[in-house]
Amino acid sequence: MNFLKSHVLVNGLMDRVGLDSATSHRQSPLHPVSGVVLGVTALLWGVILAVNAPGQLSYDSVVQLNEGRTATYLSMHPPLMSAVMGLADRVIPGTALYLALSSALFFGALALLINRTARPLPTMALTIAACLTPPVLVYQGIVWKDVLFANLAVLAFATLETFGAPPKGRRYIAYGIACLLAALAALVRQNGFVVILFVALAIGWKEYVRVASAKLAIKALRTVGAVLCAVFFSLGACSLSNGLIRVTAVKQQSVVGLGLLVLAKYDISGIIARETDIDLSILAERGVDTAKFQDAVRQSYTAERLDNPLNPHSSEIAAAGFSHLSPAEITQLWQQLILSHTRAYLAHRMAVFAWLMAPPEPGRCLPVHIGIYGPEDLVHSLGLKEGVRPSDQALYNYSTHYFGGPLMNPTFYVVVAVLLIAYLLWRPIEGSAVMICMLLSALAFVGSYLVIGIACDFRYVYFLVAATISVFLYGAARIPVPNPFKGHPKRGDQANSPRQID
């Protein structure tokens, strides 16, 4: 009896928040697939390609293009993006084709989310306004793994929401595509694994609400099975993709190992900057002047970013000190200092995260990047033209009007994402569960930088930005607007209205 009551309670709770279904009176009539909306979305994609092509390239972008062209993956960047850039480069030399493919992922996701809308004209107006802000207009033209990761992740959830419905065959195909996109996203950013988890949770929830059985145990087993299958399928796709890259690579080294070393050195520097009584006997044994080393670390350290461009001399001295240690010894020192100076470590981590989420000087956190810059030898060997075009400068001048404003502030997107989640729980619409999972995955992704953050650049939170914009536009297209000239449905009508499965 208690088991049955608990099952009724769970179903009642889902009915209350609407994550399993949405009553038909809550859903405004949706127009069929709108050719006008799709056309406007395609036009916006074309405009962004026209003003950015062949793309805005930074040091990282140039290095990754060279890796893709030579199939030699030796940087700390995950190799998938470099490999994709190499494939596109073989078709059309440079980054123009890659840029078209990357941005197509984002605009394809938008098209899936807003093409069926209750209000085509307002939806188009909001979409145009959103796409003319720097987070879309400029960022979709930057060749960064952060942008590719965000686009893959948003498309994964958009596919799941749009096609993850009966009939069974189509639903399972949508699940597979969403898991594959999530796996690719996880291979583009080192901390992107959270996307796999939340895509799997969204799939599990969809399966939970579709089971007609009255037994909670059966529904729970089916849900857990769906989640595990989604995770294992995604991990299999990751393994297969990594295997293909290894087979085709001329040379490759561990990305995880390089990333951990960078993070370890930064955390060690943050602890040294906050403590005076530090045991650095391991460095003293290597002949390093530990007093001079600590002074250099304190002068070069900043919570703003790992590499302090304002004090390169001290940075070089600190780097020289670390060079006396092997990777294993650096890791050992890292763990030792975290355990013995936990308070300093936590203060360092909080300061770094604060700079990311609410930078005191936003202009120092690379709000946008324009032009083509990189190692001079690579730029010339790749056939790129270094510098800033007049159109790039115009984009930057336009973007400066947003610097310091809410649309370039990560905390603003956290607040909006939380409000969207709360609203979708309170006033659910079709697809609420998937959209909530996308926002939660973006928040979890940003939260991971509390532990692994090394700089305050806006690009690190771009997945949250893209997800929040996408869910906002989805809600604008789907959330019904009350008509003051029509009476509210009676309570009995609400209770007897047909239900739509989410």
Side-chain angles (χ1 to χ4, degrees), residues 39 49 112-113 141 154 186 194 244 410 422 436 448:
L49 285 178
L112 291 177
L113 293 174
V154 171
V194 294
L244 290 174
I436 289 173
S448 69

Side-chain angles (χ1 to χ4, degrees), residues 60 63-65 67-68 72-85 145-146 148-149 183-192 242 245 252-256 258-259:
D60 292 346
V63 168
Q64 288 185 276
L65 176 59
E67 287 185 335
T72 304
Y73 311 108
L74 301 178
S75 71
M76 63 178 292
H77 302 287
L80 179 64
M81 176 176 163
S82 300
V84 172
M85 292 176 71
K145 62 178 180 286
D146 311 88
L148 177 61
F149 164 74
L184 295 176
L187 291 175
V188 171
R189 277 237 45 117
Q190 295 93 325
N191 53 334
N242 273 331
I245 291 173
Q252 183 181 356
Q253 62 182 359
S254 171
V255 173
V256 176
L258 290 174

Side-chain angles (χ1 to χ4, degrees), residues 49-54 56 137-138 370-371 388-398:
L49 285 178
V51 299
N52 286 286
Q56 317 292 346
L137 180 65
V138 181
I370 57 156
V388 176
R389 300 170 301 176
S391 59
D392 299 333
Q393 189 61 52
L395 280 176
Y396 183 81
N397 294 340
Y398 169 72

Side-chain angles (χ1 to χ4, degrees), residues 262-280:
V262 170
L263 179 61
K265 292 175 184 178
Y266 192 34
D267 286 347
I268 292 170
S269 300
I271 294 171
I272 291 175
R274 288 169 171 80
E275 294 283 357
T276 56
D277 185 18
I278 301 287
D279 180 10
L280 296 176

Side-chain angles (χ1 to χ4, degrees), residues 322-340:
F322 281 118
S323 68
H324 287 78
L325 301 179
S326 68
E329 289 171 330
I330 291 175
T331 303
Q332 179 185 347
L333 179 61
W334 180 35
Q335 295 170 348
Q336 172 191 325
L337 293 183
I338 289 176
L339 293 175
S340 59

Side-chain angles (χ1 to χ4, degrees), residues 8-22:
V8 172
L9 180 62
V10 170
N11 284 336
L13 179 61
M14 289 193 302
D15 287 341
R16 175 67 187 91
V17 300
L19 288 181
D20 64 331
S21 57

Side-chain angles (χ1 to χ4, degrees), residues 35 38 40 112 128 145 149 168 179 189 222 226 235 237 248 255 294 318 407 447 477 501:
L38 291 178
V40 169
L112 291 177
I128 293 171
K145 62 178 180 286
F149 164 74
K168 182 186 297 186
C179 288
R189 277 237 45 117
R222 179 157 182 162
L235 292 178
T248 58
V255 173
Q294 290 183 71
L407 293 182
I501 297 296

